[in-house]
Amino acid sequence: VAGEVKGLASQTTKATGEIGELIAAVRGATDGAIAAIGAIGEVIGEMNQISAAIASAVEQQGAATREIAGSIHQASQGTDQVSSSVAAVMHVVEDTERAAEAVVAAGDQVATQIDTLHSKVDGAVLGIRVA
């Protein structure tokens, strides 16, 4: 019986050693898993920073696009105002051209009347000299 107890004690010691080795292996695997989870956490943190940077860049691009659109709208309004001003100037030029033509026509009439008056005065003077 003592031999059997001695054999069982030997097997218990051997099993206890194997269990200790398994526990050490599980601890090693757990430590590796913890390190991997930590690395994954760091990668997620970096991805969050990159996502935030991208979101900021997209917002800045959106703001720039809105500013460009506003500038284009203002330029368009300016172009419309210039077109209206050019049309108004053309109208004034046409009115001025008509007025100038009227002044020339009036000047021609005055010249004709002066020539007629001059002829009458010359005739009157000649009539007075003859008499």
Side-chain angles (χ1 to χ4, degrees):
V1 174
E4 287 181 25
V5 171
K6 194 176 183 183
L8 285 174
S10 174
Q11 287 178 353
T12 300
T13 301
K14 183 178 176 186
T16 301
E18 289 175 0
I19 290 173
E21 289 174 5
L22 289 174
I23 290 173
V26 168
R27 281 186 182 162
T30 302
D31 289 344
I34 290 171
I37 290 171
I40 290 170
E42 288 177 12
V43 169
I44 290 172
E46 289 174 10
M47 289 176 66
N48 284 339
Q49 289 176 349
I50 291 169
S51 295
I54 289 171
S56 176
V58 167
E59 177 58 32
Q60 288 176 355
Q61 186 177 22
T65 301
R66 287 187 295 276
E67 187 175 331
I68 289 168
S71 296
I72 289 171
H73 181 68
Q74 287 178 346
S76 174
Q77 288 177 335
T79 300
D80 289 345
Q81 289 175 351
V82 168
S83 295
S84 295
S85 296
V86 168
V89 167
M90 290 300 295
H91 183 66
V92 168
V93 166
E94 290 170 357
D95 290 347
T96 302
E97 184 178 1
R98 282 191 290 273
E101 288 172 355
V103 167
V104 168
D108 289 345
Q109 287 178 351
V110 168
T112 301
Q113 289 175 355
I114 288 174
D115 287 343
T116 302
L117 182 61
H118 193 221
S119 294
K120 288 182 181 181
V121 168
D122 285 346
V125 169
L126 184 63
I128 291 175
R129 285 187 189 160
V130 173

